[in-house]
Amino acid sequence: MRVVFRVDASAQLGTGHLMRCLALADELRSKGVEVSFICREPSEHLCDDVERKRDYRLHRLTQAAPQSDAEETKSILSRERRVDWLIVDHYGLDAQWEQQMRPYVRKIMVIDDLANRPHDCDLLLDQNFYIDMHARYENLLPNQCRKLLGPEYALLRREFKAARKDLKERNGKIRRILISFGGSDPTNETLKVLQAIRLLKRNDISIDVIVGIESPNKEQVKKICSQMQHATFHCQVENMAYFMANADLVVGAGGVSMWERCFLGLPSIVVVTAQNQKDAASAAAKSGAIWNLGWHENVDPAMLASTIHRALNSPNDIKRMAERAIRLMENAETSKDSRVVEFLIEKPVLKREHYRLRPITEEDLEKVLTWRNSERIRANMYTDHIISEFEHKEWFQKINNDPAVACMLYEIKGVPAGVIHYTNIDRRNQKCEWGFYLGDPDLPKGTGIIMGYLGVEYAFENMGIRKLYGEAFAFNRASIKFHRKLGFVQEGRLTKHIRKNGQYEDVLLFGLQHEKWLSFKAQLAHCVFHIPNE
């Protein structure tokens, strides 16, 4: 498989577009995909990053006008062997340019943030959060184009996914501030923030200042940092996730890095430095995930100092911001493979007949007991003692005689793989509670969501249930994400509800109505089984 990226980066344009394309390229290459880049006159540093450090083939364009760009790009593509995907991340290119590429590639993917021009593409990615996210591209795309919209499709480097797994809980207290305005920062917002921090005269706060090699102001910033007792200057770091994970507050721009910060639950004061950041920053602020100071020309050191002072004295607000940032990004993929890669690399259709639910029988009890007593499963259960064989058989006899309980075994090609149990089945009000677990921790990716799909489908279409509901510990991020991916909404929170490992834990309540399932089922079936929507 061969993929070609068309993307530009410079001190004027910034480096965010290239960085997110490189994150996707690295994932594709790990799958054996051959990747190359087409860029217009990148700087020597950017060439070094793409060609020498990452070892990608780089084709350089010399012309800026769209038609000249198209002619040069077509010439390069014509010399390439079969190109499966052309991925375009460029605000200056639209459907007219893309149509000219059609004879040279199998499919086209566009990465966009603006929704301000038509595209001729097979796949569109907009990883930003907007209030009107699903309506922004109406009448701008071909009917057959698949849209990947929202932070759940964010292109995140693997270092951020690794940092998320070991993330410490933020308590709202600020001891370390990170200042980072991307790879170039042409308007020198970094200087404003340093001036603001000087106004505060808080020598008890450690400051990390990160600039990119493309920054025209890096020497000035370095000099000012050397004059501040607790400020440390860093240039072109390779471990940004480390700095974000260890900071308590960041002051930075919108754009790609804003989603990286939200993914790590890092409270952010955002200054909008480009037009394409405005709407996403506004939407993120409305969700409570960031504090947005608005357009950079209207932000001065005094405003920054006042906002940072407020943050230093509002630990509860800062903790709440961290929680909402995590919540905004909780559907973003934390495994090493992003969901975008799944759409680019064609998979064989998974056949429904390979997966099924059936009632648990006495022959299944030994295997189910082994699963249930594993530390991995007990860690997320309300009752976490080791269950005896006698106790297990008593449970089986009880559920067989209780019309308010049903317990199903999940099978893949006839091999047991997990359990779904329905309890508190209320025929009068047509509702019931559910629970679930996969038995084997090493099952293929996607196995769990298929089990969930079948479990929800069984409740609504076989049991005649109107509402399905469930519970999850607030610390069980996997279960929370699983419920939301299946269409459940959070309906409540029980504070300090269940005693677990010597302390009382919060429990989240989730519900799914039959009407929502009917509207959501076809879309989910496509994602789960890779089959067309009906």
Side-chain angles (χ1 to χ4, degrees), residues 356-365 368 395-396 399-400 405-411 416 418-422 458 462:
R356 71 163 183 160
L357 298 180
R358 64 165 175 81
I360 285 182
T361 67
E362 194 166 354
E363 288 72 27
D364 303 315
L365 289 182
V368 171
W395 164 82
F396 181 66
I399 65 170
N400 276 343
V405 177
C407 201
M408 310 296 288
L409 194 77
Y410 170 50
E411 289 186 333
V419 171
I420 294 181
H421 48 89
Y422 305 95
Y458 184 85
N462 292 73

Side-chain angles (χ1 to χ4, degrees), residues 165-212:
K165 292 178 181 177
D166 299 321
L167 201 60
K168 65 181 181 181
E169 184 177 355
R170 301 186 187 276
N171 59 16
K173 296 179 181 178
I174 298 172
R175 294 289 178 264
R176 181 174 293 276
I177 297 176
L178 172 64
I179 304 171
S180 176
F181 281 86
S184 57
D185 187 18
T187 59
N188 207 3
E189 301 307 307
T190 303
L191 177 61
K192 289 184 192 176
V193 183
L194 288 172
Q195 292 170 340
I197 289 173
R198 275 181 161 175
L199 292 173
L200 293 172
K201 298 179 181 180
R202 287 290 299 266
N203 292 327
D204 57 322
I205 306 296
S206 298
I207 311 295
D208 286 307
V209 181
I210 300 179
V211 301

